[in-house]
């Protein structure tokens, strides 16, 4: 739960996952649980390859896609998500 989102701008992401995803791994897409976040019809989240960060993407029923940004969050937004992904051996 956020208590103050601050003044950040740009794409919303979770940094500092315990391991980087493998460079050749399939991205792990999951359906996050979001409360107090203004988004399009559907949202997915994924761990970026060769990175310890996860991003959020929103999709419209018409087929458009864009990253969820800081502007989509409020000071009391809630994010719940679990990631399973391949790391480097």
């Amino acid at each position: 739960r956020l208590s103050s989102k601050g003044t950040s701008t740009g794409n919303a992401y979770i940094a500092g996952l315990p391991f980087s995803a493998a460079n050749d791994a399939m991205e792990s897409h999951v359906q996050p649980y979001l409360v107090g976040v203004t988004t399009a019809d559907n949202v997915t989240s994924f761990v970026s390859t060769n990175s310890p960060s996860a991003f959020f993407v929103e999709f419209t029923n018409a087929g458009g896609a864009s990253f969820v940004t800081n502007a989509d969050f409020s000071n009391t937004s809630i994010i719940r998500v679990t990631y399973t992904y391949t790391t480097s051996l």
Side-chain angles (χ1 to χ4, degrees):
R1 172 177 286 225
L2 297 179
S3 59
S4 176
K5 71 174 191 162
T7 59
S8 296
T9 60
N11 296 338
Y13 63 95
I14 297 172
L17 296 176
F19 304 101
S20 289
N23 192 39
D24 60 350
M26 296 293 291
E27 293 176 336
S28 173
H29 290 262
V30 297
Q31 182 72 38
Y33 173 79
L34 302 173
V35 174
V37 181
T38 304
T39 62
D41 303 307
N42 300 292
V43 176
T44 188
S45 183
F46 66 93
V47 178
S48 185
T49 56
N50 204 31
S51 169
S53 299
F55 294 85
F56 298 90
V57 177
E58 54 187 335
F59 297 92
T60 65
N61 288 335
S66 63
F67 282 99
V68 175
T69 68
N70 181 63
D72 297 317
F73 287 82
S74 72
N75 285 330
T76 58
S77 294
I78 297 172
I79 305 165
R80 290 186 188 157
V81 64
T82 300
Y83 297 102
T84 302
Y85 58 97
T86 304
T87 62
S88 299
L89 301 175

